[in-house]
Structure formats: structure tokens, C-alpha cells
């Protein structure tokens, strides 16, 4: 191992900066430096290779060696940055002995380590992959060429490039990854087929626009979601996945991290998880209450009675709650991700939603409460049955509850919009 360290330590001095990279057919010999036109420069590196690390002494030197050799073969200037997450083995010493920069990140988590290293990177292009040698670091030219061709964000696709036997657990290969990637494609209209591939590349500007916050494994999903929101050009390239070379279990925990990915996907999709279902439930619910307010009706021989009033009430209230929560979610997302594109936010900032919600909600709540009181007094004062007013009670109570929800939501929305306005002024 010591010989490998010493032989790779001097490679960084010979790395050149590429002034013109052209896309090539990957069936050609990628080791041929004639594919690149190079010249020596003292400017910042073209590529920063980012490696998250937590006790990876057995494989870290393999990855750094591959990166350094790839830089030399391509004739570009590059750097290796290791985002160390508190390693207690010799990972830090190995990285520094091979010429890599080590960024110490005390906050634990895959996303935290990547973010710290990416924040310290000096390259125009940033390429990230794991330190376990499961991704082939020697093939970074595939990603560089895609970025040079105009992509802002390049994702690897292990299912298109091939998965070696034993490289991915069956649970992940046949259920976890396809299921979560499928959900993500539906929620975000994303073309990405391998949402959780750990080898990916992006420009420095693209990473800033992504504005990621997650510290755990769900960071991988947040990157793609925010890249779509920011309108980045995303491309997918086939890569091969190999069995990792470590002698310990991976840091990934299938069900814990799978849930983290799923909850992030749902929370960041207010249009399809809140607004569209909310409107879909609210409209038929309101129509049903309007039709059945005076009593049972018969349409084309079908009888619609008290049970359908209860269903209409449930549909109305669930739809309204989903709609209001969706609006709050969109504003919350815009607060910490300012580049998110949304037509709702500009409309909210100029339409005084607090006043509208408070006025309309108060009218519904007060009217419903007063009507319920009148019916209650009528029930108390009469000695007969009041079954004929049950439909009206459902409708009036629904209006009262809806009004209270609107008023309370209005004040929460006002707080969020104030926060969004302050952020915009900074």
C-alpha cells in the first residue's frame, strides 16, 4: 500500500488544465490523450473529485489513485477533496499522503460530508462518488464530456450500465431503487431512472442553485428535486456498479434511509400530493353538499341520502385541508429554496391572502355557528322529531369547520410570507 501512496503522491503536480474538451464515442479508446487539447495553466482546477469518507482506509487509496491517473490521462488539472465525517482509522492520513485535501465535517451524514467538500471545491466541475470503489473513478471523462456538452447536472445510471453480481442487494435492485425512482419520476416528471446512483457530476453554479439542506442519505434525492426546480439541464449516462471492497457492512440502512427518501419525495411535491388531490376532493364534496342540503334526492332512480351527505362532508373537509396545507408547503419550500419556480408564490405575495382567508373564513364560521345555534334551539323547543334537519346540520357544520381552518391557515400563511419577504430583501 505504501508504494501505491508514494507513486500517486506526485501525480497532482503533472495534472494539466483542459481548454477544449469534445464529446467522444465511448467505444473509442478513452485512454488516448489525443482526445483532448491541453495546455498548462495556473488557473483553478477544471475538476474537483469529491469523496465522502467515514473509516474507508481499505479502499480510499484505490479511489484516489484512479482519480489522479484519470486526470493525467485526460490531461486536465484537477483536485481530490475528501469530506471526512469523523474517521477514526487512517483515512485522513491516507488522503493527505496522496495529495488530496481533507475537509472535516463534524455533522454526521452522507449529505453533510458531500456538502462540506463541495463547498470547499475550486473546480469548474464537481464529480462525486463513494470511497468504497463500487464506482469506477477512472471513468470520470464520461461525466466531464457530458458537462462540456452543455449539461448542468449529470447522473449515473447503474441499471443501464450494468450491475456486477453482488454489487447491489436484491432488495435494493428489484424493489427499493425501482420503486422510489418510479415514485420520483411520477411526482416530478423526472427523466432520471436511477434516482439514487451515488456517482454524479455538476457545475459549481448548479450546486449553488440546488441549495441542498439534507444531511443524510436523502441528500441524493434532494439534489435531483432541487435541480428540477432550478430548471437545470439534467443528463443521465450509463455506468457500471461493482461490489465494494470494504470488509464491513455499508453505512446505508435499507428501511431507515428508504423512508427518509420517501418522506422527502412526498414533502417536496405539494402540487401532486396536496393541491391536485385537494381540488379533486373539494369540488365534488361542495357540489354534493349543495345538492343534498335540503334533504335526500333521487337521480335516475338512484337514492342519495344521509350517508352521501357524510361522504360529501368528508370529501370537502379533507380536500380543503389538503389544499391549504399545499399552499403552506409551497411557501415553505420557497423560503429555503428561492430559485424554485412557482406561479403560486408571486400571486400570493400580491393578493393579500391573509385578509381574504380571514374574511371568508370568518363569514363561514360565524354563519355556520349561528345557524347551528338556531337549529339547536329549535331541537330543544320542539317535542317532535328533527330528522328533516340532519342534512342541513351536516352542511352548516362543514361550513363552520371550513371557516375556522381558513382563518387559522391565513395567519400561518402570513408568517411564512413575511419570512419569505425578509429573505428576498437580504
Amino acid at each position: 500500500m505504501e508504494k501505491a501512496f508514494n507513486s500517486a503522491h506526485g501525480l497532482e503536480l503533472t495534472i494539466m488544465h483542459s481548454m477544449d474538451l469534445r464529446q467522444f464515442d465511448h467505444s473509442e479508446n478513452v485512454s488516448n490523450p489525443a482526445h483532448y487539447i491541453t495546455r498548462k495553466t495556473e488557473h483553478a482546477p477544471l475538476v474537483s473529485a469529491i469523496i465522502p469518507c467515514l473509516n474507508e482506509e481499505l479502499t480510499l487509496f484505490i479511489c484516489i489513485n484512479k482519480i489522479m491517473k484519470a486526470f493525467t490521462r485526460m490531461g486536465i488539472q484537477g483536485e481530490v477533496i475528501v469530506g471526512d465525517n469523523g474517521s477514526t482509522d487512517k483515512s485522513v492520513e491516507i488522503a493527505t499522503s496522496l495529495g488530496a485535501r481533507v475537509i472535516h465535517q463534524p455533522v454526521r451524514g452522507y449529505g453533510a460530508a458531500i456538502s462540506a467538500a463541495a463547498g470547499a471545491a475550486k473546480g469548474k466541475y464537481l464529480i462525486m462518488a463513494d470511497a468504497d470503489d463500487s464506482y469506477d473513478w477512472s471513468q470520470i471523462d464520461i461525466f466531464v464530456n457530458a458537462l462540456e456538452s452543455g449539461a448542468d447536472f449529470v447522473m449515473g445510471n447503474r441499471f443501464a450500465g450494468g450491475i456486477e453480481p453482488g454489487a447491489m442487494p436484491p432488495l435494493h435492485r428489484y424493489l427499493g431503487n425501482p420503486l422510489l425512482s418510479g415514485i420520483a419520476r411520477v411526482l416530478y416528471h423526472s427523466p432520471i431512472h436511477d434516482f439514487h446512483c451515488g456517482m454524479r457530476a455538476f457545475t459549481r453554479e448548479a450546486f449553488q442553485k440546488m441549495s441542498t439542506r439534507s444531511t443524510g442519505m436523502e441528500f441524493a434525492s434532494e439534489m435531483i428535486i432541487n435541480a428540477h426546480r432550478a430548471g437545470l439541464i439534467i443528463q443521465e449516462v450509463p455506468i457500471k456498479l461493482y461490489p465494494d471492497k470494504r470488509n464491513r457492512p455499508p453505512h446505508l440502512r435499507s428501511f431507515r434511509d428508504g423512508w427518509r427518501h420517501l418522506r422527502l419525495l412526498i414533502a417536496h411535491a405539494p402540487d401532486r400530493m396536496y393541491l391536485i388531490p385537494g381540488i379533486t376532493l373539494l369540488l365534488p364534496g361542495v357540489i354534493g353538499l349543495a345538492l343534498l342540503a335540503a334533504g335526500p334526492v333521487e337521480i335516475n332512480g338512484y337514492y342519495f341520502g344521509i350517508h352521501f351527505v357524510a361522504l360529501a362532508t368528508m370529501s370537502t373537509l379533507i380536500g380543503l385541508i389538503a389544499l391549504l396545507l399545499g399552499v403552506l408547503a409551497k411557501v415553505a419550500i420557497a423560503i429555503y429554496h428561492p430559485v424554485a419556480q412557482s406561479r403560486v408564490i408571486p400571486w400570493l405575495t400580491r393578493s393579500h391572502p391573509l385578509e381574504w382567508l380571514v374574511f371568508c373564513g370568518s363569514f363561514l364560521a360565524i354563519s355556520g355557528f349561528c345557524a347551528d345555534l338556531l337549529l339547536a334551539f329549535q331541537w330543544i323547543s320542539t317535542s317532535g322529531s328533527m330528522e328533516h334537519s340532519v342534512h342541513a346540520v351536516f352542511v352548516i357544520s362543514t361550513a363552520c369547520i371550513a371557516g375556522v381552518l381558513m382563518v387559522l391557515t391565513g395567519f400561518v400563511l402570513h408568517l411564512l410570507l413575511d419570512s419569505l419577504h425578509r429573505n428576498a430583501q437580504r
Side-chain angles (χ1 to χ4, degrees):
M1 184 185 293
E2 226 175 64
K3 289 183 180 180
F5 296 166
N6 295 332
S7 63
H9 183 65
L11 288 175
E12 189 179 39
L13 301 177
T14 64
I15 296 171
M16 307 285 284
H17 184 285
S18 172
M19 300 305 294
D20 180 22
L21 298 179
R22 69 176 182 85
Q23 193 170 16
F24 59 87
D25 184 345
H26 294 301
S27 64
E28 297 174 356
N29 182 8
V30 298
S31 64
N32 185 356
H35 288 302
Y36 302 94
I37 300 173
T38 66
R39 67 170 179 154
K40 191 174 182 179
T41 179
E42 299 300 327
H43 295 303
L46 179 68
V47 176
S48 295
I50 296 171
I51 308 176
C53 177
L54 176 59
N55 297 326
E56 308 287 2
E57 63 180 0
L58 290 181
T59 53
L60 184 59
F61 79 97
I62 301 175
C63 297
I64 296 177
N65 278 335
K66 286 185 176 182
I67 295 167
M68 294 295 193
K69 290 178 181 178
F71 288 159
T72 302
R73 186 189 74 241
M74 296 166 64
I76 62 174
Q77 181 176 342
E79 64 174 354
V80 179
I81 304 178
V82 174
D84 185 67
N85 219 190
S87 297
T88 55
D89 61 4
K90 296 181 179 179
S91 296
V92 173
E93 292 91 329
I94 291 172
T96 53
S97 70
L98 292 174
R101 280 198 293 140
V102 178
I103 305 300
H104 296 279
Q105 171 57 283
V107 178
R108 285 298 181 96
Y110 173 78
I114 291 287
S115 296
K122 299 176 182 178
K124 177 182 178 182
Y125 302 135
L126 283 62
I127 302 177
M128 55 176 274
D130 296 338
D132 58 6
D133 197 34
S134 58
Y135 297 104
D136 190 357
W137 272 107
S138 65
Q139 297 299 310
I140 61 175
D141 39 16
I142 299 174
F143 291 87
V144 172
N145 274 279
L147 293 170
E148 287 282 326
S149 298
D152 299 312
F153 184 31
V154 184
M155 283 288 303
N157 185 338
R158 299 165 293 182
F159 295 95
I163 300 174
E164 291 284 303
M168 185 183 293
L171 179 65
H172 298 178
R173 183 171 183 175
Y174 300 108
L175 179 61
N177 271 302
L179 178 62
L180 290 174
S181 295
I183 292 172
R185 285 199 301 276
V186 170
L187 292 179
Y188 300 96
H189 288 296
S190 174
I192 302 302
H193 289 79
D194 188 2
F195 238 67
H196 305 103
C197 179
M199 191 169 194
R200 49 186 74 182
F202 36 88
T203 64
R204 179 197 298 275
E205 293 78 13
F207 184 73
Q208 293 171 350
K209 290 180 180 178
M210 287 183 225
S211 187
T212 51
R213 285 191 163 198
S214 300
T215 58
M217 292 290 184
E218 68 273 20
F219 170 86
S221 291
E222 188 187 8
M223 285 185 73
I224 305 176
I225 293 170
N226 289 358
H228 281 296
R229 284 207 189 101
L232 301 181
I233 300 173
I234 306 176
Q235 184 177 335
E236 198 170 36
V237 295
I239 63 169
K240 182 166 284 190
L241 183 70
Y242 300 88
D244 69 61
K245 310 301 188 298
R246 296 173 296 193
N247 61 352
R248 58 166 176 79
H251 298 301
L252 178 69
R253 296 294 179 265
S254 300
F255 293 100
R256 179 199 65 184
D257 293 316
W259 165 242
R260 286 182 174 181
H261 281 286
L262 180 59
R263 75 186 186 190
L264 184 136
L265 292 174
I266 293 174
H268 283 253
D271 288 344
R272 292 169 181 82
M273 294 303 300
Y274 301 101
L275 298 180
I276 294 176
I279 293 173
T280 303
L281 289 171
L282 180 62
L283 290 179
V286 170
I287 293 172
L289 289 177
L291 291 174
L292 297 171
V297 297
E298 188 172 332
I299 302 175
N300 291 331
Y302 292 96
Y303 179 82
F304 297 90
I306 189 63
H307 297 90
F308 286 92
V309 179
L311 290 175
T313 297
M314 181 179 66
S315 179
T316 299
L317 292 177
I318 293 176
L320 179 63
I321 292 170
L323 192 61
L324 294 174
L325 288 177
V327 172
L328 295 178
K330 289 188 79 69
V331 179
I333 290 170
I335 289 173
Y336 68 84
H337 193 220
V339 298
Q341 305 290 329
S342 174
R343 289 174 292 182
V344 174
I345 302 302
W347 177 78
L348 287 174
T349 55
R350 63 174 181 267
S351 62
H352 305 289
L354 171 63
E355 289 73 19
W356 280 104
L357 284 170
V358 170
F359 175 78
C360 296
S362 297
F363 175 77
L364 285 174
I366 294 172
S367 299
F369 183 72
C370 291
D372 266 340
L373 279 180
L374 289 175
L375 283 174
F377 286 134
Q378 187 178 359
W379 282 2
I380 293 172
S381 61
T382 184
S383 58
S385 173
M386 295 291 293
E387 292 179 359
H388 65 278
S389 64
V390 173
H391 284 238
V393 169
F394 266 97
V395 176
I396 293 168
S397 299
T398 302
C400 186
I401 296 171
V404 172
L405 288 173
M406 291 168 66
V407 171
L408 296 178
T409 302
F411 287 105
V412 176
L413 180 59
H414 180 67
L415 291 175
L416 293 176
L417 288 173
D418 274 351
S419 180
L420 179 64
H421 181 66
R422 285 194 297 270
N423 286 354
Q425 290 181 327
R426 291 176 185 172

